[in-house]
Amino acid sequence: MNGADLVSESPGIQIDEIRIRATKITFTLVASSTGKMPYYSSSIWRGMWGREIKRKTCLYTELDCKYCSHMPNCAYGSVFEPTSEVFAGSLKETRQFISPPVVIEAPHFVNEIWNEGETAELTITFFGDVIHFLYYFVDSLFEIGVKYGAGPNRIRFHIKKIEQILKNGTKYLLNHRQIRDLGVFFEDYVWREEEHSVSSLFISFDTPIRMQKKGTILDSLDIQEFLLNCQRRMEYLTSLYGNNVTISKDCLLQLSSACTVLKDFVVWRDWERFSSKQKKAMNLGGLTGAFHLQGNLTPILPMLKLASFAHVGKQTVFGLGKFSLYQSIGE
């Protein structure tokens, strides 16, 4: 498509292709002792990664990142506190900071415990060029496992292996030299228009989804807001890391008004994390569960697939906003 803008025209929606540059890395960790871990552990890994990478890379510890001239080349600032002025000039009139270009998908500890010898997979998706900072993530995670440990009981762990998950699902084992020299595969993830009609989807919210409407976090399913969140995520990511896909908001609202939600099993789930930066507990609760959606879904299926891959809503860096799509047999 040569990066050309893909804009749907009223009255319909047409998305020929969505393309973004992304790299997915998974770490297999092994616990060296037994201790407590929260069910949703992404905030623990994000917090430790952030602190350790900042400790290793920050030249001016007392200076706010947004004022630092080194931000373009800083592993911490580029990933965890990126500003629109440095990384997204077209957005600087509407926002000072942009969403971190990573999504952390951490293991779910169902029994809220990590047993000695048990493995856990920690996955991080890098959007755009921030994969160049991979070595800092590997080095910091190694040190966290050896020196500090994870969770309230400071469980020590070691990294068993590091793999890149290719877009076809294949796992490619990475060695130290490949990590040091960035010997990874650079791939564009692509979602194209469906060749057949899709009128029914089962959608499962795998981690809490935080959607905001008029300044308030929604505590029940609003399909219109869900689709608008998917649209914003698609347009944001493709504008910075892909082929700049946009669709008409009015057309999307018209489509959503014709959709029907069946078997709504979506509920609110509370979740808190302690922010060491803000020195207080943060409520990161959101919607979990599943629902059945019917309607003319063919035009927006590429958008939904991207949003499923990249997560939607607020605090996606913590792994929030992950959902899965299931098509009915025969569709």
Side-chain angles (χ1 to χ4, degrees):
M1 305 301 293
N2 298 323
D5 291 2
L6 303 177
V7 183
S8 72
E9 296 180 358
S10 182
I13 295 173
Q14 181 175 347
I15 302 173
D16 296 324
E17 179 180 281
I18 299 173
R19 181 185 297 270
I20 60 170
R21 172 63 56 90
T23 310
K24 202 166 188 175
I25 304 293
T26 186
F27 303 85
T28 300
L29 312 178
V30 182
S32 302
S33 59
T34 298
K36 294 180 179 179
M37 287 291 283
Y39 182 86
Y40 296 116
S41 63
S42 293
S43 65
I44 286 179
W45 305 105
R46 184 266 176 251
M48 293 190 301
W49 253 328
R51 285 193 297 273
E52 190 63 15
I53 290 175
K54 186 172 185 177
R55 185 186 70 79
K56 288 175 175 291
T57 62
C58 185
L59 298 175
Y60 307 106
T61 56
E62 301 301 318
L63 182 66
D64 194 311
C65 286
K66 63 186 177 184
Y67 301 119
C68 184
S69 60
H70 293 276
M71 180 179 281
N73 302 309
C74 174
Y76 176 79
S78 296
V79 174
F80 295 108
E81 295 193 35
T83 63
S84 59
E85 184 173 358
V86 174
F87 299 104
S90 62
L91 301 176
K92 67 180 181 180
E93 298 300 323
T94 57
R95 64 181 80 181
Q96 183 176 20
F97 293 97
I98 61 174
S99 297
V102 296
V103 169
I104 298 170
E105 295 181 352
H108 292 174
F109 293 95
V110 178
N111 297 317
E112 299 191 353
I113 192 167
W114 193 8
N115 293 304
E116 180 180 357
E118 186 178 39
T119 61
E121 284 198 353
L122 174 63
T123 301
I124 181 167
T125 301
F126 298 86
F127 296 108
D129 295 332
V130 291
I131 185 62
H132 290 99
F133 297 119
L134 174 62
Y135 179 80
Y136 292 97
F137 280 83
V138 175
D139 183 52
S140 296
L141 190 62
F142 173 81
E143 199 151 332
I144 290 166
V146 171
K147 287 187 176 182
Y148 308 116
N153 298 131
R154 296 299 179 187
I155 305 167
R156 299 295 198 274
F157 61 87
H158 68 270
I159 303 173
K160 182 179 180 180
K161 58 183 176 180
I162 303 171
E163 298 167 295
Q164 179 178 359
I165 304 177
L166 303 181
K167 61 184 180 182
N168 63 5
T170 302
K171 289 186 176 181
Y172 178 75
L173 187 65
L174 299 175
N175 58 39
H176 182 270
R177 180 184 58 79
Q178 290 169 313
I179 294 167
R180 182 196 63 199
D181 299 337
L182 202 61
V184 299
F185 293 99
F186 294 92
E187 295 188 304
D188 285 347
Y189 282 74
V190 180
W191 297 268
R192 294 189 174 92
E193 182 181 17
E194 291 292 313
E195 295 180 354
H196 55 276
S197 176
V198 177
S199 60
S200 177
L201 286 173
F202 186 78
I203 300 176
S204 171
F205 289 171
D206 303 322
T207 61
I209 291 186
R210 292 172 57 81
M211 296 184 290
Q212 185 171 289
K213 184 177 183 178
K214 296 181 179 179
T216 302
I217 299 295
L218 297 178
D219 60 4
S220 61
L221 178 65
D222 183 326
I223 190 60
Q224 188 176 90
E225 286 301 318
F226 172 66
L227 294 179
L228 288 174
N229 271 261
C230 291
Q231 177 196 12
R232 286 193 289 268
R233 187 66 164 158
M234 174 190 71
E235 294 183 351
Y236 171 79
L237 288 174
T238 60
S239 71
L240 296 181
Y241 315 115
N243 59 335
N244 199 24
V245 182
T246 64
I247 62 174
S248 163
K249 179 179 178 180
D250 289 340
C251 288
L252 184 60
L253 292 176
Q254 182 180 351
L255 183 148
S256 67
S257 66
C259 290
T260 303
V261 174
L262 304 174
K263 300 178 182 178
D264 179 357
F265 301 112
V266 175
V267 296
W268 175 268
R269 179 162 183 163
D270 283 320
W271 178 44
E272 282 192 349
R273 72 173 289 266
F274 182 81
S275 171
S276 58
K277 182 178 180 180
Q278 300 185 35
K279 307 298 182 185
K280 65 177 183 180
M282 297 175 61
N283 186 346
L284 294 180
L287 300 176
T288 61
F291 64 96
H292 186 190
L293 183 64
Q294 286 188 337
N296 179 22
L297 306 177
T298 309
I300 60 171
L301 193 55
M303 177 186 78
L304 291 173
K305 288 182 176 180
L306 163 65
S308 172
F309 171 79
H311 300 210
V312 296
K314 301 177 71 64
Q315 282 91 28
T316 53
V317 66
F318 294 113
L320 298 185
K322 176 179 174 59
F323 67 91
S324 299
L325 301 169
Y326 303 93
Q327 290 181 230
S328 300
I329 296 176
E331 288 198 323

